[in-house]
Amino acid sequence: MIPKIEQATKSEIKIFQEEKLAELLVYLQEKSSYYQQVFKKHNLAISSIKTLEDLTKIPTTSKDQLQAYNDEFLCVPKNQIIDYVTTSGTLGDPVTFALTEKDLERLAYNEALSFACSGVTENDVMQLMTTMDRRFMAGLAYFLGTRKLGAGIIRVGAGIPELQWDSIIKFNPTYLIAVPSFLLKLIEYAKQHDIDINKSGVKGAICIGEPLRNLDFSHNALSKKITDEWDIQLYSTYASTEMNTAFNECEAQQGGHHHPELIIAEILDDAENPVSAGQVGELTISTLGVEGMPLLRFKTGDMVQAHHDACTCGRTTMRLGPVVGRKKQMIKYKGTTLYPPAMDNILNDFNAIQSYVIEISHNNIGTDEICIKIATDTPTEKLLLNIKDHFRAKLRVAPKIEFHDKKIIQKLQFPAMSRKPVMVIDNRKKD
């Protein structure tokens, strides 16, 4: 299930995307009150935007604008809306997205394509370990995509290792859809209940929400922990509600593949210009084929690196490397620039650490401070020094570390209304 456009030459993909961009601009000019105002304010004639390079003539759209003018992005009458979803609100107030029947079809196509990219076929059975309720787009996308692909699905939902294993043993899924750290809980439960995980029939996991790879695509500490115990393939996927699109790894596991029929992707520097080849920048997207709330040059806030070399799977599309971090979560700490994922990788190296949160704040002189709150059964000075030594070796700085009861960490990780664990609490004053 590889569309022809994903095996086309780079010039063919560019021409194809420029045709789709022209269609998007006409649609926004006719239907979007938000983008009509943008075009008018900046005296932009959409006919002047002919190439992907011309995109830089158009102002970017920020998350703040999407929050402040949410309703103005809607391009259809409300009686055409079939489903309402909201973003998780990790870095601010949640944003509502309205989906039409066509958008749901597109969502299903995107996910079927993404699963197929990771090697899932109609002969597989997938166990869904994320929620489909609470206005969550991802769970719905996984369900619709699995149906479109023709594979079987077991809708277990989030958490409850006992129920997950009961379903694995009863229904023999071949793939799991899960947050990778939850796979460690499944491994722990299996050990406690004499379940042979490597005879379970599970051959792979589509992993969401947490990185699996280092920037060179090698396994990070979290994925090593999983695969050292469980002989399964782990596939990384990157997506967001705003994109209505996913970047899934293929079986080569060298980055998430771009679907050029669904999205235009730019990697921008701080001046909102494309970065040089191989450089890290902010992923900025324009959605193609979205009917309800299409976006143009939307800045995702995620810092990534694009890869353009040929992939062994036969696709010629650009691939996205692991997310380096969220732009708003960049930390300047004692002269070093850090992103939370780099700290996650160090903390996941320690089996003694049961759970943790990273708190960022400003000190009394306005510079960044980091406090990592850890739950462990062995809160010793030796463990504390060992963790700090690892930070100094890997990142050249050691943050403040505190031991706390597991219940306190859990409460911090799962605030009211949260659909997924909060691993970073940013208490810095916003400008």
Side-chain angles (χ1 to χ4, degrees):
M1 188 181 174
I2 305 180
K4 285 184 180 178
I5 192 60
E6 299 193 15
Q7 295 178 305
T9 65
K10 286 179 171 49
S11 60
E12 287 169 338
I13 291 173
K14 184 174 185 292
I15 291 167
F16 172 86
Q17 288 220 298
E18 286 169 351
E19 290 172 356
K20 294 294 181 185
L21 173 60
E23 293 173 12
L24 170 63
L25 291 170
V26 169
Y27 186 78
L28 293 173
Q29 179 77 76
E30 292 176 356
K31 306 283 188 180
S32 172
S33 63
Y34 178 80
Y35 286 109
Q36 286 167 3
Q37 292 170 55
V38 169
F39 298 153
K40 185 177 180 181
K41 180 181 177 183
H42 295 274
N43 199 24
L44 264 173
I46 60 170
S47 58
S48 69
I49 312 297
K50 299 185 183 300
T51 67
L52 296 183
E53 290 78 11
D54 289 338
L55 278 167
T56 55
K57 298 176 183 178
I58 303 171
T60 57
T61 301
S62 70
K63 292 200 177 194
D64 290 343
Q65 289 163 331
L66 189 53
Q67 287 166 344
Y69 307 105
N70 201 185
D71 290 346
E72 293 177 29
F73 285 85
L74 186 62
C75 292
V76 297
K78 293 208 169 177
N79 64 3
Q80 290 185 28
I81 299 168
I82 303 298
D83 193 79
Y84 290 91
V85 298
T86 53
T87 61
S88 56
T90 308
L91 296 178
D93 293 332
V95 172
T96 298
F97 271 84
L99 286 80
T100 65
E101 185 64 41
K102 182 182 173 185
D103 292 337
L104 291 173
E105 278 294 323
R106 181 189 177 281
L107 197 61
Y109 171 81
N110 159 75
E111 212 58 56
L113 198 61
S114 299
F115 287 152
C117 187
S118 297
V120 184
T121 73
E122 62 185 9
N123 298 315
D124 286 301
V125 176
M126 306 186 77
Q127 183 155 318
L128 180 58
M129 298 183 176
T130 65
T131 184
M132 271 185 65
D133 57 6
R134 302 178 76 176
R135 307 191 303 261
F136 192 40
M137 178 184 274
L140 176 63
Y142 302 139
F143 175 71
L144 294 175
T146 304
R147 284 192 65 198
K148 190 165 188 70
L149 187 60
I153 191 160
I154 309 159
R155 294 179 293 107
V156 183
I160 322 176
E162 182 180 3
L163 181 57
Q164 302 290 356
W165 273 114
D166 177 70
S167 297
I168 292 170
I169 292 164
K170 277 183 181 174
F171 305 117
N172 303 118
T174 46
Y175 285 86
L176 310 176
I177 306 170
V179 175
S181 56
F182 183 67
L183 297 177
L184 293 175
K185 289 185 169 62
L186 292 183
I187 291 168
E188 183 183 349
Y189 182 90
K191 283 180 178 177
Q192 292 170 354
H193 295 83
D194 297 320
I195 297 169
D196 189 339
I197 56 175
N198 290 311
K199 289 184 179 177
S200 64
V202 175
K203 60 185 181 183
I206 309 294
C207 292
I208 64 167
E210 294 170 343
L212 294 172
R213 314 266 176 241
N214 297 313
L215 292 184
D216 63 357
F217 299 119
S218 59
H219 283 284
N220 66 13
L222 177 57
S223 58
K224 276 181 190 171
K225 268 188 179 180
I226 296 164
T227 54
D228 282 350
E229 300 277 356
W230 203 345
D231 185 20
I232 57 174
Q233 293 295 318
L234 302 179
Y235 296 95
S236 184
T237 178
Y238 167 74
S240 73
T241 302
E242 296 94 341
M243 294 196 301
N244 283 226
T245 312
F247 291 76
N248 268 49
E249 284 185 332
C250 67
E251 292 173 280
Q253 299 177 346
Q254 295 290 300
H257 276 281
H258 173 218
H259 302 305
E261 65 272 47
L262 296 176
I263 200 165
I264 294 171
E266 304 172 78
I267 315 291
L268 303 182
D269 61 20
D270 287 341
E272 300 189 347
N273 293 312
V275 299
S276 304
Q279 296 300 302
V280 171
E282 183 175 6
L283 178 66
T284 301
I285 58 93
S286 300
T287 52
L288 301 174
V290 172
E291 189 174 49
M293 294 180 70
L295 295 175
L296 178 64
R297 300 201 83 209
F298 174 75
K299 296 170 73 174
T300 64
D302 291 323
M303 304 300 287
V304 298
Q305 180 183 356
H307 297 264
H308 298 278
D309 49 314
C311 184
T312 55
C313 73
R315 291 173 182 82
T316 54
T317 50
M318 177 268 285
R319 290 166 289 116
L320 281 186
V323 174
V324 176
R326 292 248 172 107
K327 190 170 185 177
K328 284 189 176 180
Q329 289 179 343
M330 184 181 77
I331 308 161
K332 290 280 190 181
Y333 186 65
K334 297 181 180 178
T336 299
T337 298
L338 301 175
Y339 288 98
M343 292 184 272
D344 292 332
N345 213 19
I346 293 169
L347 295 164
N348 285 325
D349 257 334
F350 289 87
N351 290 326
I353 296 176
Q354 296 171 319
S355 57
Y356 63 88
V357 291
I358 299 167
E359 287 193 347
I360 315 165
S361 60
H362 280 150
N363 58 26
N364 56 10
I365 59 171
T367 57
D368 291 347
E369 288 290 344
I370 305 167
C371 178
I372 300 176
K373 297 183 176 180
I374 290 171
T376 177
D377 286 336
T378 55
T380 62
E381 187 68 20
K382 183 180 178 182
L383 176 61
L384 185 68
L385 292 173
N386 200 0
I387 295 169
K388 288 197 170 191
D389 284 346
H390 266 64
F391 269 94
R392 290 189 190 98
K394 298 283 181 68
L395 300 180
R396 303 193 303 278
V397 291
K400 181 181 178 183
I401 296 170
E402 296 177 352
F403 293 128
H404 288 270
D405 185 87
K406 191 174 182 179
K407 288 180 181 176
I408 291 173
I409 303 297
Q410 191 168 27
K411 199 170 181 181
L412 290 169
Q413 282 186 344
F414 292 95
M417 301 295 288
S418 176
R419 294 187 305 219
K420 56 186 180 182
V422 175
M423 307 302 289
V424 180
I425 300 169
D426 194 344
N427 293 320
R428 292 175 293 186
K429 291 178 182 176
K430 302 294 185 284
D431 295 331

